Amino acid sequence: MLCQRGRFVADSGNPSQTPDQTDQASESTYTGSNIQVLEGLDAVRKRPGMYIGSTGERGLHHLVQEVVDNSVDEAMAGYADTIDVTLLADGAVRVVDNGRGIPVDIVPGQEKPAVEVVLTVLHAGGKFGGGGYAVSGGLHGVGVSVVNALSTRLAVEIHRDGHRWTQDYKMGAPTAALVKGEATDRNGTTVTFWADPDIFETTVYSFETLSRRFQEMAFLNKGLSIALTDERPEHADEDGKPLSVTYKYDGGIADFVTHLNSRKGEVIHPSVIDFEAEDKDKAISVEVAMQWNSSYTEGVYSFA
């Protein structure tokens, strides 16, 4: 091995070439033809780690989180109070909410329904100050399109504007146009997706990982009900029934403090001290909850 300019260069190739000549040869082959432009969702499939952090178990669960975040945003905006997540027997994940439903009208300049734009175009969404959402989480305008890009199949069902609307996608691309179905008086969105096993190291979801995350989200969103059901037969309980949990905390983070102190010994005072304030003009809000206990260590949790 040779050390050249702060890096190691293997003693291989043409022995008659010096390291400088090798560098020059490499540089001469770096031209405009080496520049690749990935359009649409191709970039996501090419470099998934840039968008979801990894292609391991953490990245797999991130897909679920991105879809659920959209439903939580509806709850934070005051339009939804129920989210149901189901791990289906065929490996898919279904997320259902009772929010307004993803818009289905045509987006100006795109000439496509809003739901198709949201699912196929990066950086397209209602969270960029256009009045769709005052506050939100997730990867703004990226999350659900990334989920679509990294799935072999995705199906969306929307109840909105007095009708049921459906559309299917394969490898990120729509298989047909948005279909307007029967009349309905419901509102909400259902997203079902199958993570691509050629991209992820595993496509087996952890019930414990998801349930723990959803419990945290329920604590942070007062009054929101989040249910998780596992329909995979190999994960059924001893009676053969699907595992299922539902989280709903009307007290919000005050209930979170009660939950924490239930495992930390005796509480010094019976009720949790909590208060909150909001400045709508500056779009700032804060909520604080605390309770002393008999343990020797303190715990401070901050959620931004």
Side-chain angles (χ1 to χ4, degrees), residues 2-257:
L2 301 174
C3 183
Q4 176 73 13
R5 297 180 184 173
R7 60 183 182 273
F8 289 102
V9 180
D11 245 344
S12 59
N14 187 348
S16 64
Q17 284 188 314
T18 66
D20 283 339
Q21 289 172 327
T22 302
D23 284 349
Q24 292 170 2
S26 299
E27 291 170 1
S28 66
T29 60
Y30 181 53
T31 66
S33 63
N34 298 115
I35 304 300
Q36 297 182 21
V37 179
L38 299 175
E39 297 183 353
L41 300 183
D42 289 340
V44 182
R45 294 187 63 83
K46 190 76 172 179
R47 294 289 184 268
M50 292 178 60
Y51 297 88
I52 58 171
S54 80
T55 55
E57 186 174 329
R58 183 166 63 91
L60 179 73
H61 290 87
H62 194 94
L63 296 187
V64 184
Q65 189 61 50
E66 284 301 328
V67 180
V68 173
D69 276 344
N70 285 347
S71 297
V72 171
D73 288 341
E74 281 290 284
M76 293 174 68
Y79 297 101
D81 61 11
T82 303
I83 302 172
D84 292 314
V85 183
T86 305
L87 306 178
L88 301 177
D90 63 356
V93 178
R94 182 178 65 219
V95 180
V96 184
D97 69 51
N98 64 343
R100 291 170 291 184
I102 302 175
V104 294
D105 54 316
I106 301 299
V107 175
Q110 293 288 330
E111 307 309 322
K112 292 186 290 187
V115 59
E116 186 173 328
V117 173
V118 166
L119 285 166
T120 60
V121 179
L122 293 176
H123 307 295
K127 305 174 186 178
F128 298 104
Y133 295 92
V135 290
S136 63
L139 299 173
H140 292 12
V142 175
V144 74
S145 60
V146 166
V147 174
N148 190 24
L150 301 180
S151 299
T152 56
R153 180 188 168 201
L154 183 144
V156 61
E157 177 181 332
I158 301 165
H159 292 82
R160 182 185 173 104
D161 300 338
H163 287 273
R164 174 178 174 267
W165 309 77
T166 57
Q167 191 172 29
D168 288 343
Y169 295 79
K170 182 178 181 180
M171 309 298 277
T175 60
L178 180 67
V179 176
K180 181 179 180 180
E182 68 274 13
T184 179
D185 57 359
R186 291 175 51 197
N187 283 299
T189 301
T190 299
V191 175
T192 308
F193 67 92
W194 291 255
D196 192 339
D198 292 333
I199 290 178
F200 292 95
E201 299 165 17
T202 178
T203 54
V204 179
Y205 299 92
S206 166
F207 183 89
E208 291 74 21
T209 298
L210 292 174
S211 63
R212 184 168 59 250
R213 175 58 177 163
F214 295 158
Q215 183 180 29
E216 293 173 355
M217 296 178 74
F219 278 128
L220 292 174
N221 294 274
K222 187 182 301 184
L224 173 63
S225 173
I226 306 179
L228 174 64
T229 302
D230 192 343
E231 294 185 351
R232 297 172 296 181
E234 64 272 23
H235 294 88
D237 64 17
E238 56 186 17
D239 296 323
K241 297 180 180 179
L243 293 177
S244 182
V245 293
T246 300
Y247 301 111
K248 181 182 179 183
Y249 300 101
D250 293 328
I253 64 170
D255 287 344
F256 179 52
V257 171

